[in-house]
């Protein structure tokens, strides 16, 4: 049942590739908004930036550039991860097709020359699980980023000079900053862990393709040698 579901999913690799590309393009548009907010914020003097009051255009630009820069990378990596998953699916489909075609061809050989299909390598069972694990890690990072974006926006929605720089030890502002600074590295770790799992899945899928081709090459050579003897 699980294998059948994987086969059905692999055949839709093109759809997943387009979904991933769409997410990356949307992330690109949000990145342009971050660039615009950076331009608005840093076009003012340092004194004006730090002295701007909550609710002002400068503080709004500061909130935008920090909030979007907080979750857009996770969103972008999720899109890239889906595209890498599509590559993994395509490789899995290639390996399955090669195995099926090889079996159909060798079934027409004399019984004494037909080596039969080899047992599926362990890598063929592992790479779909690694792909799904990579997706789940990237989605987890995106959910955490979305869940904490409000905290990031709330922290920066204050005057830098009169509120943020004056925050006392134990205040809500410093507690929020501590949470932000502690969460940021974990979001980066989740992004690269997810990508690492996906690249490993691609490597294993390529290994399955190569081993399938090698088995068919050896079988064909033995067949030719036996027929020519």
């Amino acid at each position: 049942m699980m294998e059948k579901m994987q086969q059905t999913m692999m055949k839709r690799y093109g759809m997943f590739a387009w979904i991933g590309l769409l997410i990356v393009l949307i992330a690109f548009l949000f990145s342009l908004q971050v660039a615009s907010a950076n331009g608005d914020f840093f076009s003012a003097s340092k004194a004006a930036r730090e002295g701007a009051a909550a609710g002002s255009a400068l503080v709004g630009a500061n909130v935008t550039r920090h909030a979007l820069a907080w979750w857009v990378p996770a969103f972008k990596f999720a899109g890239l991860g889906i595209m890498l998953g599509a590559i993994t699916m395509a490789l899995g489909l290639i390996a399955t097709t090669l195995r099926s075609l090889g079996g159909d061809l060798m079934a027409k050989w004399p019984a004494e020359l037909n080596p039969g299909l080899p047992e599926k390598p362990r890598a063929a069972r592992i790479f779909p699980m690694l792909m799904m694990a990579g997706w789940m890690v990237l989605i987890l990072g995106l959910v955490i980023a979305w869940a904490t974006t409000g905290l990031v926006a709330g922290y920066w929605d204050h005057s830098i000079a009169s509120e943020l720089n004056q925050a006392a030890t134990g205040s809500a502002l410093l507690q929020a900053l501590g949470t932000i600074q502690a969460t940021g590295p974990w979001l980066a770790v989740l992004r690269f862990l997810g990508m690492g799992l996906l690249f490993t899945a691609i490597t294993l899928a390529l290994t399955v393709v190569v081993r399938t081709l090698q088995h068919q090459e050896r079988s064909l050579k033995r067949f030719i040698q036996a027929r020519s003897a």
Side-chain angles (χ1 to χ4, degrees), residues 197-219:
L197 290 171
L198 286 164
F199 278 117
T200 304
I202 290 174
T203 302
L204 289 178
L206 282 170
T207 301
V208 174
V209 172
V210 170
R211 288 181 179 175
T212 301
L213 289 171
Q214 288 174 338
H215 171 76
Q216 293 179 357
E217 180 188 19
R218 290 192 299 266
S219 300

Side-chain angles (χ1 to χ4, degrees), residues 147-194:
T148 51
T149 296
L151 185 67
V152 174
Y155 174 80
W156 289 106
D157 192 19
H158 293 85
S159 168
I160 296 175
S162 61
E163 295 178 280
L164 298 183
N165 289 346
Q166 302 301 321
T169 301
S171 64
L173 280 175
L174 288 186
Q175 289 177 359
L177 180 60
T179 302
I180 293 167
Q181 293 299 320
T183 306
W186 279 107
L187 292 179
V189 167
L190 290 175
R191 289 197 296 269
F192 286 100
L193 174 60

Side-chain angles (χ1 to χ4, degrees), residues 9 39 76-77 105 114 123 141 154 156 161 165 181 191 209 220 228:
M9 191 174 180
K76 185 191 307 177
F77 271 79
L105 177 62
N114 186 356
W156 289 106
N165 289 346
Q181 293 299 320
R191 289 197 296 269
V209 172
L220 185 57
S228 60

Side-chain angles (χ1 to χ4, degrees), residues 28-229:
F28 171 72
L29 295 178
F30 279 116
S31 297
L32 292 179
Q33 191 173 352
V34 174
S36 177
N38 280 336
D40 293 340
F41 183 72
F42 288 103
S43 62
S45 66
K46 186 175 186 293
R49 295 196 306 267
E50 295 186 354
S56 65
L58 279 176
V59 170
N62 199 26
V63 169
T64 298
R65 73 189 195 89
H66 279 97
L68 288 180
W70 181 257
W71 67 265
V72 168
F75 186 62
K76 185 191 307 177
F77 271 79
L80 291 172
I82 292 174
M83 294 175 74
L84 290 177
I87 294 174
T88 308
M89 293 177 198
L91 291 171
L93 187 61
I94 290 171
T96 302
T97 303
L98 287 172
R99 180 181 175 87
S100 177
L101 290 175
D104 293 342
L105 177 62
M106 288 184 289
K108 299 178 182 179
W109 295 357
E112 65 274 11
L113 298 178
N114 186 356
L117 289 175
E119 183 181 352
K120 279 191 175 182
R122 185 184 303 177
R125 296 188 293 271
I126 294 176
F127 81 77
M129 293 186 289
L130 285 177
M131 183 194 76
M132 296 303 297
W135 278 3
M136 287 189 288
V137 169
L138 291 175
I139 291 172
L140 175 62
L142 179 59
V143 170
I144 293 174
W146 273 339
T148 51
T149 296
L151 185 67
V152 174
Y155 174 80
W156 289 106
D157 192 19
H158 293 85
S159 168
I160 296 175
S162 61
E163 295 178 280
L164 298 183
N165 289 346
Q166 302 301 321
T169 301
S171 64
L173 280 175
L174 288 186
Q175 289 177 359
L177 180 60
T179 302
I180 293 167
Q181 293 299 320
T183 306
W186 279 107
L187 292 179
V189 167
L190 290 175
R191 289 197 296 269
F192 286 100
L193 174 60
M195 297 297 282
L197 290 171
L198 286 164
F199 278 117
T200 304
I202 290 174
T203 302
L204 289 178
L206 282 170
T207 301
V208 174
V209 172
V210 170
R211 288 181 179 175
T212 301
L213 289 171
Q214 288 174 338
H215 171 76
Q216 293 179 357
E217 180 188 19
R218 290 192 299 266
S219 300
L220 185 57
K221 283 182 177 179
R222 286 195 297 266
F223 175 81
I224 293 174
Q225 290 171 356
R227 297 295 288 182
S228 60

